């Protein structure tokens, strides 16, 4: 993978953590899956994070975005904006 892609991946990961208001350790423990939300046309329309079913409410309340049970939709995360 190229250095720029590595930088974008790291930036994206940090933006997800910031949006969730979680540390790296908390995210590693409580998050089950992260995935892009795509439209029918394949366009990215959001980013979804699924938490473990035993995640404490206090952890879930920290997350910015639309919460639905143990799923948080963060919307679109633009990791390129700062590098233009």
């Amino acid at each position: 993978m190229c250095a720029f892609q590595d930088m974008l991946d790291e930036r994206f990961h940090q933006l997800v953590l910031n949006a969730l208001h979680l540390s790296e350790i908390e995210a590693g423990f409580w998050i089950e899956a992260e995935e892009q939300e795509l439209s029918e046309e394949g366009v990215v329309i959001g980013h979804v994070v699924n938490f473990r079913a035993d995640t404490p409410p206090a952890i879930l309340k920290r997350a910015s975005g639309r919460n639905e049970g143990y799923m948080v939709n963060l919307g679109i995360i633009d990791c390129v904006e700062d590098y233009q």
Side-chain angles (χ1 to χ4, degrees), residues 29-81:
F29 189 76
W30 296 114
I31 292 176
E32 281 190 338
E34 298 175 52
E35 57 191 44
Q36 292 179 334
E37 185 177 21
L38 303 174
S39 71
E40 290 180 10
E41 295 80 25
V43 176
V44 177
I45 58 173
H47 188 77
V48 176
V49 177
N50 293 302
F51 286 86
R52 292 177 22 179
D54 60 342
T55 303
I59 296 286
L60 294 170
K61 284 181 185 178
R62 287 196 235 164
S64 300
R66 189 177 70 233
N67 295 28
E68 298 173 15
Y70 295 99
M71 183 196 80
V72 176
N73 186 325
L74 299 174
I76 295 174
I77 296 176
D78 184 4
C79 59
V80 181
E81 183 177 288

Side-chain angles (χ1 to χ4, degrees), residues 9-27:
D9 290 346
E10 179 58 33
R11 175 74 177 142
F12 180 79
H13 181 71
Q14 189 58 53
L15 289 171
V16 169
L17 292 179
N18 291 350
L20 295 172
H21 303 283
L22 296 177
S23 70
E24 185 81 38
I25 293 170
E26 290 170 319

